[in-house]
Amino acid sequence: MTGDEVRAAFLSFFEERGHKIIPSSSLIPHGDPTLLLTSAGMVPLKPYFLGEAVPPNPRLAAAQKCFRTTDIESVGDPTHLTFFEMLGNFSVGDYFKREAISWAWEFVTRRLGLPSERLWITVFLDDDEAFSFWRKLGVPENRILRFGEEDNFWGPAGDSGPCGPCSEIHYDFGPEVGCGKDTCAPNCDCGRFSEIWNLVFVEYNQDQEGRRTLLPKPNIDTGMGLERTAAVVQGKTSVYETDLLVPLIRRVSELAGKRYGADEDTDNAMRVVAEHSRGIAFLIADGVLPANEGRGYVLRRLLRRAALFGRRLGLEKPFLAETAKTTIQQMGHIYPEIVQRQDFILRVIELEEVGFGETLSTGLELLDEIMGEEAIKKIGKFPAKQAFKLYDTYGFPVELTEEIVAGRGLSLDQEGFEALMAKQRERARASHKFELRGKEMAGLEGKLEATTFTGYRDLKQSSNIVAILVDNKSADKIQQGQEAGVILETTPFYGEMGGQVSDTGEIRSSSGRFLVTNAIQLPSNITIHQGHIAEGSLKVRDEVEAEVDKERRLDIARNHTATHLLQLALRQVLGEHVQQRGSLVAPDRLRFDFSHLAAMTKEEIGEVQRIVNDRIRQNLAVYDEEIPYKVAIEEGAIALFDEKYGDVVRVIRIGRPPISAELCGGTHVAATGEIGFFHIISESSIGAGLRRIEAVTGRGAEEAIKEKVDSLSDEVSSKLAEVEKEFKRAQALEKGLAKREAESLLPRAEIVDGIKVLAAQVSPCRLETLREMADFLRQRLKSVVVVLGTVYEDRPVFLAVVTPDLVKKGYHAADIVSRVAGVAGGGGGGKASLAQGGGKDIGKLDEAIKLVKGLIHSS
């Protein structure tokens, strides 16, 4: 059976037994931003097991994409993978141990045809029930082994969640494989036994403190690794020898120009590159982008580890996009998202690989140099300072450095490295505007209650002063001119957090007035109002009225609601991979940082702006709701990864039904129409795979557009002045050239029947210049008939001049020019001494000029 056939057989087997087949979820866990990646088939089903959501069917089955970071360094051995497919059948309060065990045995022995004598079973230490079910199926007692919690208790996935004892099916490759010891049995890591299926009897929910409580109903969660099972079915001892991974290894072999099977080190490098190529493609397809933290760091580490192993194969130039193409060709028929996002996947890989390639050689040289130092060899430890330099300067994930130095028999000073990382984080935090320090503040914070915030609904609030801080020390009273921090019992002031700047305003009492220039919220939810006394004095326990600057607050609210609409529009225009990476919401502008590879085009920026303004004109309701965190996530609200949320969260929704829902503690307008207008000022890069949009709304947009119009007006005036100057210069130049050309025509004057005649075609020029040429010729030739022809604005133009003495003799400029222009398909008119005309056919201009002498002769 091929891997595809094993997958299809599994799903059809359980569909026949009343299971609903559900599609694979994303590798980014939906509804759980605290979980790094989907690491097991049951991760998407946690809400069902916990009773927080109703499943589409109590019996479910799936082939789920999974990724486990713990196995990265084991990749290349016969069984370990980072990315793999987990086949699973699940029961949500329906069947339990008996059915799960019976069906598992039936599937492996009958559908897959595995010999029962090759199968061993493990159960949890005291799980006599599971033991008896296996015995009833005919499994010999000596092939059912009991293990403790380390081996046969599964879960939870993440910090907390469903868990329970488990029973596993192991395949025995035979005594000729592995350690050869008589004691060899399942869970021996020699390779003789391969765990192919884990049946988890989900009975408990474990909280973050490790406490377990019984679930309302027991559930079943099973996981069969497709790759391991395919290896067993296909008679292979390694997952890399199956049809699921052989095409990838073959492609790596072709790119490297090396034969697989000739050398173990080379083979291992090929296996690592092949395996990582699958994970890289699927992570990017599901919206993960390279970064220095979280999921992005996992992807970056995978990419760079693959690039390093490629270098060991002699692959000096970028190659991972090629192996990704093979992954897409191999698996696209099962997971169409990797086909749909192929261009995006390849672009991300190319950018990251090229970026790392520039520093890889330098970093490797530095590594070799350090590892070669006698002092390092002697102590057997790689210095933390150098590991940090490799990480900070050359982009080497510390795990990669650790792996390389381990290959040379060295250990890494991990503790020292963590200390240096902590110092770097501390330096980043040191730039914070307001630092609370000293025992005095710590003691004060411990005594105070959290400040009650009323600013979502009210901008003015009666309250009492509960503490005053001067130079971070407690004070009873402050006088006019003093700077201080004032803590109130209740406040309408929003303290700076979540990217939104704080409110400003006043705190007034009968004895004084305090101008609030900044407000910050401490982790203990105490709000400190920073500022200075403008009048009088204030003291602890004073009754005061706190009032927020209303216009400034509204400006901030406009910009904050606009950031929610902006994220919505960006995801519509650029794709679901767009994720917020930072923001600033101020009264005069907003800034939104997001994940995206390339600079946005003018068309994309215009479309995003159009969508936001369309939503503004719809005047959609903006409203908040406090609900349990897990309910909010299940309903589709967007949460930030790595952000810590409480059990109850505030959700900001836009529209009924909502078009946008985000977990947010900030202040917002009541309806989108209040935003007025949204205008993008700039779009720029702030790092690999990260973009930044700066925009304005409301009064800020008005001011920005006014400035732009004024700037354009000044620019237009400046340009017009430049044009005028250039025009005058061109005019002067044209006049000079025309005079010289007129002078060159003087010798061409002829006598026709006793009359001096000058008829000529001149260089293209304006009519004014043509007149000046004719005047010059009339003055110089005294008694003359002048007819000049030229091209002006793509049409033939004619000018005739007759001196007064010849007018008296009956020569008429208007008659002459009309006849001449007629040849070119036009006409003309004027006085006897001066006339002008125009035609249509430039090709007839020369013929028309030649007519002049004949007209004089016939006269």
Side-chain angles (χ1 to χ4, degrees), residues 556-611:
I556 294 169
R558 290 184 188 102
N559 284 333
H560 203 152
T561 304
T563 63
H564 288 217
L565 292 175
L566 173 58
Q567 177 161 219
L568 174 75
L570 285 169
R571 288 168 74 90
Q572 284 181 17
V573 173
L574 303 180
E576 293 295 311
H577 66 276
V578 168
Q579 294 175 353
Q580 181 177 339
R581 294 292 193 229
S583 67
L584 171 69
V585 179
D588 58 333
R589 65 193 171 101
L590 67 91
R591 188 179 73 211
F592 189 80
D593 301 340
F594 60 99
S595 56
H596 186 57
L597 281 179
M600 292 176 66
T601 64
K602 285 183 180 179
E603 292 74 19
E604 287 170 339
I605 292 171
E607 180 63 7
V608 165
Q609 188 165 288
R610 185 198 65 75
I611 290 171

Short mmCIF file of all heavy atoms in Angstrom, two decimals, residues 556-611:
data_model
loop_
_atom_site.label_atom_id
_atom_site.label_comp_id
_atom_site.label_asym_id
_atom_site.label_seq_id
_atom_site.Cartn_x
_atom_site.Cartn_y
_atom_site.Cartn_z
N ILE A 556 -7.94 59.61 19.01
CA ILE A 556 -7.31 58.30 19.28
C ILE A 556 -8.29 57.18 18.93
O ILE A 556 -7.92 56.19 18.30
CB ILE A 556 -6.87 58.20 20.76
CG1 ILE A 556 -5.75 59.20 21.05
CG2 ILE A 556 -6.42 56.78 21.10
CD1 ILE A 556 -5.43 59.36 22.52
N ALA A 557 -9.53 57.34 19.34
CA ALA A 557 -10.55 56.31 19.08
C ALA A 557 -10.76 56.11 17.58
O ALA A 557 -10.90 54.98 17.10
CB ALA A 557 -11.86 56.70 19.75
N ARG A 558 -10.77 57.20 16.82
CA ARG A 558 -10.91 57.09 15.36
C ARG A 558 -9.78 56.24 14.79
O ARG A 558 -10.00 55.35 13.96
CB ARG A 558 -10.89 58.47 14.71
CG ARG A 558 -12.12 59.32 14.98
CD ARG A 558 -12.05 60.64 14.21
NE ARG A 558 -13.14 61.49 14.63
CZ ARG A 558 -13.02 62.52 15.47
NH1 ARG A 558 -11.84 62.83 15.96
NH2 ARG A 558 -14.06 63.24 15.82
N ASN A 559 -8.57 56.54 15.24
CA ASN A 559 -7.42 55.81 14.71
C ASN A 559 -7.42 54.35 15.15
O ASN A 559 -6.98 53.48 14.40
CB ASN A 559 -6.12 56.50 15.15
CG ASN A 559 -5.85 57.75 14.34
OD1 ASN A 559 -6.28 57.87 13.20
ND2 ASN A 559 -5.14 58.70 14.92
N HIS A 560 -7.90 54.08 16.38
CA HIS A 560 -7.88 52.69 16.86
C HIS A 560 -8.90 51.83 16.09
O HIS A 560 -8.57 50.73 15.64
CB HIS A 560 -8.15 52.62 18.36
CG HIS A 560 -7.60 51.37 18.97
ND1 HIS A 560 -7.20 51.28 20.28
CD2 HIS A 560 -7.36 50.15 18.44
CE1 HIS A 560 -6.75 50.06 20.52
NE2 HIS A 560 -6.85 49.35 19.42
N THR A 561 -10.09 52.34 15.93
CA THR A 561 -11.08 51.58 15.17
C THR A 561 -10.61 51.41 13.72
O THR A 561 -10.81 50.35 13.12
CB THR A 561 -12.45 52.30 15.19
OG1 THR A 561 -12.84 52.48 16.56
CG2 THR A 561 -13.51 51.47 14.48
N ALA A 562 -9.93 52.42 13.21
CA ALA A 562 -9.41 52.33 11.84
C ALA A 562 -8.36 51.22 11.70
O ALA A 562 -8.27 50.58 10.65
CB ALA A 562 -8.82 53.66 11.40
N THR A 563 -7.57 50.96 12.76
CA THR A 563 -6.58 49.88 12.67
C THR A 563 -7.28 48.53 12.53
O THR A 563 -6.78 47.64 11.83
CB THR A 563 -5.63 49.83 13.89
OG1 THR A 563 -6.37 49.55 15.06
CG2 THR A 563 -4.85 51.11 14.05
N HIS A 564 -8.43 48.37 13.17
CA HIS A 564 -9.19 47.12 13.04
C HIS A 564 -9.71 46.96 11.61
O HIS A 564 -9.65 45.88 11.02
CB HIS A 564 -10.35 47.10 14.04
CG HIS A 564 -9.91 46.90 15.45
ND1 HIS A 564 -10.63 46.15 16.36
CD2 HIS A 564 -8.83 47.35 16.14
CE1 HIS A 564 -10.02 46.16 17.54
NE2 HIS A 564 -8.92 46.90 17.41
N LEU A 565 -10.22 48.06 11.05
CA LEU A 565 -10.69 48.01 9.66
C LEU A 565 -9.52 47.79 8.70
O LEU A 565 -9.66 47.09 7.68
CB LEU A 565 -11.41 49.31 9.30
CG LEU A 565 -12.75 49.57 9.99
CD1 LEU A 565 -13.28 50.95 9.62
CD2 LEU A 565 -13.77 48.49 9.62
N LEU A 566 -8.37 48.37 9.03
CA LEU A 566 -7.18 48.22 8.19
C LEU A 566 -6.74 46.75 8.15
O LEU A 566 -6.43 46.22 7.07
CB LEU A 566 -6.05 49.10 8.72
CG LEU A 566 -4.68 48.94 8.04
CD1 LEU A 566 -4.77 49.22 6.55
CD2 LEU A 566 -3.66 49.87 8.70
N GLN A 567 -6.71 46.11 9.31
CA GLN A 567 -6.31 44.69 9.34
C GLN A 567 -7.28 43.84 8.52
O GLN A 567 -6.88 42.96 7.76
CB GLN A 567 -6.23 44.16 10.77
CG GLN A 567 -5.89 42.68 10.81
CD GLN A 567 -5.36 42.18 12.14
OE1 GLN A 567 -4.45 41.37 12.17
NE2 GLN A 567 -5.92 42.64 13.23
N LEU A 568 -8.56 44.14 8.66
CA LEU A 568 -9.59 43.43 7.89
C LEU A 568 -9.32 43.59 6.39
O LEU A 568 -9.34 42.61 5.63
CB LEU A 568 -10.96 43.99 8.25
CG LEU A 568 -12.16 43.47 7.44
CD1 LEU A 568 -12.52 42.06 7.89
CD2 LEU A 568 -13.36 44.40 7.61
N ALA A 569 -9.05 44.82 5.95
CA ALA A 569 -8.84 45.10 4.53
C ALA A 569 -7.56 44.46 4.02
O ALA A 569 -7.51 43.92 2.91
CB ALA A 569 -8.80 46.60 4.29
N LEU A 570 -6.51 44.49 4.82
CA LEU A 570 -5.24 43.89 4.41
C LEU A 570 -5.38 42.39 4.20
O LEU A 570 -4.84 41.82 3.25
CB LEU A 570 -4.16 44.15 5.48
CG LEU A 570 -3.59 45.57 5.51
CD1 LEU A 570 -2.76 45.78 6.77
CD2 LEU A 570 -2.75 45.85 4.27
N ARG A 571 -6.14 41.73 5.08
CA ARG A 571 -6.33 40.28 4.95
C ARG A 571 -7.17 39.96 3.71
O ARG A 571 -6.98 38.93 3.07
CB ARG A 571 -6.97 39.72 6.22
CG ARG A 571 -6.00 39.70 7.40
CD ARG A 571 -6.71 39.41 8.71
NE ARG A 571 -7.10 38.04 8.85
CZ ARG A 571 -6.37 37.08 9.38
NH1 ARG A 571 -5.16 37.34 9.84
NH2 ARG A 571 -6.83 35.85 9.49
N GLN A 572 -8.09 40.88 3.37
CA GLN A 572 -8.90 40.68 2.15
C GLN A 572 -8.05 40.84 0.90
O GLN A 572 -8.17 40.06 -0.05
CB GLN A 572 -10.05 41.68 2.12
CG GLN A 572 -11.19 41.35 3.07
CD GLN A 572 -12.32 42.38 2.98
OE1 GLN A 572 -12.39 43.15 2.04
NE2 GLN A 572 -13.18 42.40 3.97
N VAL A 573 -7.19 41.85 0.88
CA VAL A 573 -6.43 42.19 -0.33
C VAL A 573 -5.17 41.34 -0.48
O VAL A 573 -4.86 40.85 -1.56
CB VAL A 573 -6.06 43.69 -0.33
CG1 VAL A 573 -5.13 44.03 -1.50
CG2 VAL A 573 -7.32 44.55 -0.38
N LEU A 574 -4.44 41.14 0.64
CA LEU A 574 -3.15 40.45 0.56
C LEU A 574 -3.22 38.97 0.89
O LEU A 574 -2.41 38.19 0.44
CB LEU A 574 -2.12 41.13 1.48
CG LEU A 574 -1.87 42.62 1.24
CD1 LEU A 574 -0.85 43.14 2.22
CD2 LEU A 574 -1.38 42.85 -0.20
N GLY A 575 -4.19 38.59 1.74
CA GLY A 575 -4.31 37.18 2.11
C GLY A 575 -4.37 36.97 3.61
O GLY A 575 -4.02 37.85 4.41
N GLU A 576 -4.78 35.77 3.99
CA GLU A 576 -4.97 35.44 5.41
C GLU A 576 -3.65 35.33 6.17
O GLU A 576 -3.65 35.23 7.40
CB GLU A 576 -5.73 34.11 5.53
CG GLU A 576 -7.18 34.18 5.06
CD GLU A 576 -8.02 35.11 5.91
OE1 GLU A 576 -7.99 34.99 7.14
OE2 GLU A 576 -8.70 35.98 5.34
N HIS A 577 -2.50 35.32 5.45
CA HIS A 577 -1.22 35.24 6.14
C HIS A 577 -0.90 36.53 6.88
O HIS A 577 -0.01 36.55 7.74
CB HIS A 577 -0.09 34.94 5.15
CG HIS A 577 0.13 36.06 4.17
ND1 HIS A 577 -0.62 36.18 3.02
CD2 HIS A 577 0.98 37.11 4.18
CE1 HIS A 577 -0.22 37.25 2.35
NE2 HIS A 577 0.74 37.84 3.04
N VAL A 578 -1.61 37.60 6.56
CA VAL A 578 -1.36 38.89 7.22
C VAL A 578 -1.72 38.78 8.70
O VAL A 578 -2.83 38.41 9.06
CB VAL A 578 -2.18 40.02 6.55
CG1 VAL A 578 -2.16 41.28 7.41
CG2 VAL A 578 -1.65 40.31 5.17
N GLN A 579 -0.74 39.09 9.54
CA GLN A 579 -0.95 39.08 10.99
C GLN A 579 -0.35 40.34 11.58
O GLN A 579 0.71 40.79 11.16
CB GLN A 579 -0.31 37.84 11.62
CG GLN A 579 -0.94 36.53 11.20
CD GLN A 579 -0.21 35.33 11.75
OE1 GLN A 579 0.86 35.45 12.35
NE2 GLN A 579 -0.77 34.16 11.55
N GLN A 580 -1.02 40.88 12.57
CA GLN A 580 -0.52 42.08 13.23
C GLN A 580 0.77 41.76 13.98
O GLN A 580 0.86 40.79 14.71
CB GLN A 580 -1.56 42.62 14.21
CG GLN A 580 -1.11 43.89 14.92
CD GLN A 580 -2.19 44.45 15.84
OE1 GLN A 580 -3.36 44.15 15.67
NE2 GLN A 580 -1.80 45.24 16.81
N ARG A 581 1.78 42.62 13.79
CA ARG A 581 3.06 42.43 14.47
C ARG A 581 3.41 43.61 15.37
O ARG A 581 4.48 43.65 15.97
CB ARG A 581 4.17 42.25 13.43
CG ARG A 581 4.07 40.98 12.61
CD ARG A 581 4.33 39.77 13.47
NE ARG A 581 4.54 38.58 12.68
CZ ARG A 581 3.93 37.43 12.89
NH1 ARG A 581 3.05 37.33 13.88
NH2 ARG A 581 4.18 36.37 12.16
N GLY A 582 2.53 44.57 15.46
CA GLY A 582 2.77 45.75 16.29
C GLY A 582 1.89 46.88 15.83
O GLY A 582 1.40 46.87 14.70
N SER A 583 1.69 47.86 16.70
CA SER A 583 0.88 49.01 16.29
C SER A 583 1.15 50.19 17.21
O SER A 583 1.67 50.04 18.32
CB SER A 583 -0.61 48.66 16.35
OG SER A 583 -1.02 48.44 17.69
N LEU A 584 0.82 51.36 16.71
CA LEU A 584 0.82 52.58 17.51
C LEU A 584 -0.46 53.32 17.17
O LEU A 584 -0.75 53.57 15.99
CB LEU A 584 2.03 53.46 17.17
CG LEU A 584 1.99 54.86 17.80
CD1 LEU A 584 2.17 54.78 19.32
CD2 LEU A 584 3.06 55.76 17.21
N VAL A 585 -1.22 53.65 18.20
CA VAL A 585 -2.45 54.41 18.01
C VAL A 585 -2.30 55.72 18.78
O VAL A 585 -2.30 55.73 20.01
CB VAL A 585 -3.69 53.63 18.51
CG1 VAL A 585 -4.94 54.47 18.31
CG2 VAL A 585 -3.81 52.31 17.78
N ALA A 586 -2.13 56.80 18.06
CA ALA A 586 -1.93 58.13 18.64
C ALA A 586 -3.04 59.04 18.15
O ALA A 586 -3.81 58.67 17.25
CB ALA A 586 -0.56 58.66 18.25
N PRO A 587 -3.16 60.27 18.69
CA PRO A 587 -4.23 61.16 18.22
C PRO A 587 -4.04 61.65 16.80
O PRO A 587 -5.00 61.88 16.08
CB PRO A 587 -4.19 62.32 19.22
CG PRO A 587 -2.84 62.27 19.84
CD PRO A 587 -2.44 60.83 19.84
N ASP A 588 -2.78 61.82 16.37
CA ASP A 588 -2.52 62.42 15.06
C ASP A 588 -2.29 61.41 13.95
O ASP A 588 -2.31 61.76 12.77
CB ASP A 588 -1.31 63.35 15.15
CG ASP A 588 -0.06 62.63 15.64
OD1 ASP A 588 -0.21 61.62 16.35
OD2 ASP A 588 1.06 63.07 15.30
N ARG A 589 -2.09 60.12 14.30
CA ARG A 589 -1.80 59.13 13.27
C ARG A 589 -1.94 57.73 13.85
O ARG A 589 -2.06 57.55 15.07
CB ARG A 589 -0.38 59.31 12.73
CG ARG A 589 0.69 59.03 13.78
CD ARG A 589 2.07 59.51 13.35
NE ARG A 589 3.01 59.41 14.44
CZ ARG A 589 3.91 58.45 14.59
NH1 ARG A 589 3.98 57.48 13.68
NH2 ARG A 589 4.74 58.43 15.60
N LEU A 590 -1.87 56.74 12.97
CA LEU A 590 -1.82 55.35 13.39
C LEU A 590 -0.72 54.67 12.62
O LEU A 590 -0.38 55.06 11.50
CB LEU A 590 -3.17 54.65 13.17
CG LEU A 590 -3.64 54.44 11.72
CD1 LEU A 590 -3.16 53.09 11.17
CD2 LEU A 590 -5.16 54.49 11.65
N ARG A 591 -0.15 53.64 13.24
CA ARG A 591 0.90 52.85 12.61
C ARG A 591 0.54 51.39 12.80
O ARG A 591 0.18 50.98 13.90
CB ARG A 591 2.24 53.16 13.26
CG ARG A 591 3.44 52.53 12.55
CD ARG A 591 4.72 52.90 13.26
NE ARG A 591 4.84 52.19 14.52
CZ ARG A 591 5.46 52.66 15.61
NH1 ARG A 591 5.97 53.87 15.59
NH2 ARG A 591 5.53 51.94 16.70
N PHE A 592 0.63 50.61 11.73
CA PHE A 592 0.24 49.20 11.80
C PHE A 592 1.33 48.37 11.15
O PHE A 592 1.62 48.51 9.97
CB PHE A 592 -1.10 48.99 11.09
CG PHE A 592 -1.68 47.62 11.28
CD1 PHE A 592 -2.36 47.29 12.44
CD2 PHE A 592 -1.54 46.65 10.29
CE1 PHE A 592 -2.90 46.03 12.62
CE2 PHE A 592 -2.08 45.39 10.47
CZ PHE A 592 -2.76 45.08 11.63
N ASP A 593 1.97 47.50 11.94
CA ASP A 593 3.00 46.60 11.44
C ASP A 593 2.39 45.22 11.21
O ASP A 593 1.64 44.72 12.05
CB ASP A 593 4.15 46.48 12.44
CG ASP A 593 4.80 47.83 12.73
OD1 ASP A 593 4.64 48.75 11.92
OD2 ASP A 593 5.45 47.96 13.79
N PHE A 594 2.73 44.61 10.07
CA PHE A 594 2.09 43.34 9.74
C PHE A 594 3.03 42.46 8.94
O PHE A 594 4.02 42.93 8.36
CB PHE A 594 0.79 43.58 8.96
CG PHE A 594 0.97 44.31 7.67
CD1 PHE A 594 1.02 43.63 6.45
CD2 PHE A 594 1.07 45.69 7.65
CE1 PHE A 594 1.18 44.31 5.26
CE2 PHE A 594 1.23 46.39 6.45
CZ PHE A 594 1.29 45.69 5.25
N SER A 595 2.72 41.16 8.94
CA SER A 595 3.53 40.19 8.21
C SER A 595 3.13 40.16 6.74
O SER A 595 1.97 39.93 6.42
CB SER A 595 3.37 38.80 8.83
OG SER A 595 2.00 38.43 8.87
N HIS A 596 4.09 40.42 5.87
CA HIS A 596 3.87 40.32 4.42
C HIS A 596 5.24 40.44 3.77
O HIS A 596 6.10 41.19 4.23
CB HIS A 596 2.95 41.43 3.93
CG HIS A 596 2.57 41.29 2.48
ND1 HIS A 596 1.94 40.17 1.98
CD2 HIS A 596 2.76 42.12 1.42
CE1 HIS A 596 1.75 40.32 0.68
NE2 HIS A 596 2.24 41.49 0.32
N LEU A 597 5.43 39.72 2.68
CA LEU A 597 6.76 39.61 2.09
C LEU A 597 7.19 40.80 1.26
O LEU A 597 8.28 41.32 1.42
CB LEU A 597 6.82 38.36 1.20
CG LEU A 597 7.00 37.05 1.93
CD1 LEU A 597 7.00 35.92 0.94
CD2 LEU A 597 8.30 37.08 2.71
N ALA A 598 6.33 41.22 0.35
CA ALA A 598 6.74 42.20 -0.65
C ALA A 598 6.11 43.56 -0.38
O ALA A 598 5.11 43.67 0.34
CB ALA A 598 6.34 41.71 -2.04
N ALA A 599 6.72 44.58 -0.96
CA ALA A 599 6.12 45.91 -0.89
C ALA A 599 4.75 45.87 -1.57
O ALA A 599 4.58 45.21 -2.59
CB ALA A 599 7.03 46.93 -1.58
N MET A 600 3.78 46.57 -0.98
CA MET A 600 2.47 46.63 -1.60
C MET A 600 2.52 47.49 -2.85
O MET A 600 3.22 48.50 -2.90
CB MET A 600 1.45 47.21 -0.60
CG MET A 600 1.16 46.31 0.58
SD MET A 600 0.04 47.10 1.79
CE MET A 600 -1.48 47.20 0.84
N THR A 601 1.77 47.08 -3.85
CA THR A 601 1.69 47.88 -5.08
C THR A 601 0.75 49.07 -4.85
O THR A 601 -0.02 49.09 -3.89
CB THR A 601 1.14 47.04 -6.24
OG1 THR A 601 -0.21 46.65 -5.93
CG2 THR A 601 1.98 45.79 -6.46
N LYS A 602 0.83 50.05 -5.76
CA LYS A 602 -0.08 51.20 -5.66
C LYS A 602 -1.53 50.75 -5.71
O LYS A 602 -2.40 51.29 -5.01
CB LYS A 602 0.20 52.19 -6.80
CG LYS A 602 1.46 53.01 -6.61
CD LYS A 602 1.62 54.02 -7.74
CE LYS A 602 2.89 54.85 -7.56
NZ LYS A 602 3.09 55.82 -8.66
N GLU A 603 -1.78 49.74 -6.54
CA GLU A 603 -3.14 49.22 -6.69
C GLU A 603 -3.62 48.58 -5.40
O GLU A 603 -4.77 48.77 -4.98
CB GLU A 603 -3.21 48.21 -7.83
CG GLU A 603 -3.01 48.79 -9.22
CD GLU A 603 -1.56 49.15 -9.54
OE1 GLU A 603 -0.65 48.64 -8.82
OE2 GLU A 603 -1.34 49.95 -10.46
N GLU A 604 -2.74 47.82 -4.72
CA GLU A 604 -3.11 47.17 -3.46
C GLU A 604 -3.36 48.21 -2.37
O GLU A 604 -4.34 48.09 -1.61
CB GLU A 604 -2.00 46.21 -3.03
CG GLU A 604 -1.94 44.94 -3.87
CD GLU A 604 -0.71 44.10 -3.60
OE1 GLU A 604 0.30 44.64 -3.06
OE2 GLU A 604 -0.73 42.90 -3.91
N ILE A 605 -2.50 49.21 -2.30
CA ILE A 605 -2.69 50.28 -1.30
C ILE A 605 -4.01 50.99 -1.55
O ILE A 605 -4.79 51.25 -0.63
CB ILE A 605 -1.51 51.28 -1.34
CG1 ILE A 605 -0.22 50.59 -0.84
CG2 ILE A 605 -1.81 52.50 -0.49
CD1 ILE A 605 1.04 51.41 -1.04
N GLY A 606 -4.28 51.29 -2.82
CA GLY A 606 -5.53 51.95 -3.17
C GLY A 606 -6.75 51.12 -2.83
O GLY A 606 -7.75 51.64 -2.33
N GLU A 607 -6.66 49.80 -3.06
CA GLU A 607 -7.79 48.91 -2.76
C GLU A 607 -8.02 48.80 -1.25
O GLU A 607 -9.17 48.81 -0.79
CB GLU A 607 -7.52 47.52 -3.36
CG GLU A 607 -8.62 46.50 -3.12
CD GLU A 607 -9.96 46.84 -3.75
OE1 GLU A 607 -10.04 47.85 -4.51
OE2 GLU A 607 -10.93 46.13 -3.49
N VAL A 608 -6.95 48.72 -0.47
CA VAL A 608 -7.08 48.67 0.99
C VAL A 608 -7.74 49.96 1.49
O VAL A 608 -8.67 49.93 2.31
CB VAL A 608 -5.69 48.48 1.66
CG1 VAL A 608 -5.76 48.79 3.16
CG2 VAL A 608 -5.21 47.05 1.45
N GLN A 609 -7.28 51.08 1.00
CA GLN A 609 -7.85 52.37 1.40
C GLN A 609 -9.32 52.47 1.01
O GLN A 609 -10.15 52.96 1.78
CB GLN A 609 -7.04 53.49 0.76
CG GLN A 609 -7.40 54.88 1.25
CD GLN A 609 -6.35 55.90 0.87
OE1 GLN A 609 -5.27 55.92 1.41
NE2 GLN A 609 -6.66 56.76 -0.09
N ARG A 610 -9.64 51.96 -0.19
CA ARG A 610 -11.04 52.00 -0.65
C ARG A 610 -11.94 51.16 0.25
O ARG A 610 -13.03 51.59 0.62
CB ARG A 610 -11.12 51.48 -2.09
CG ARG A 610 -12.51 51.60 -2.71
CD ARG A 610 -12.68 50.72 -3.92
NE ARG A 610 -12.61 49.30 -3.61
CZ ARG A 610 -13.61 48.64 -3.01
NH1 ARG A 610 -14.73 49.24 -2.66
NH2 ARG A 610 -13.47 47.34 -2.76
N ILE A 611 -11.47 49.95 0.62
CA ILE A 611 -12.28 49.07 1.48
C ILE A 611 -12.53 49.71 2.83
O ILE A 611 -13.66 49.71 3.34
CB ILE A 611 -11.57 47.70 1.65
CG1 ILE A 611 -11.60 46.91 0.33
CG2 ILE A 611 -12.23 46.88 2.76
CD1 ILE A 611 -10.75 45.66 0.34
#
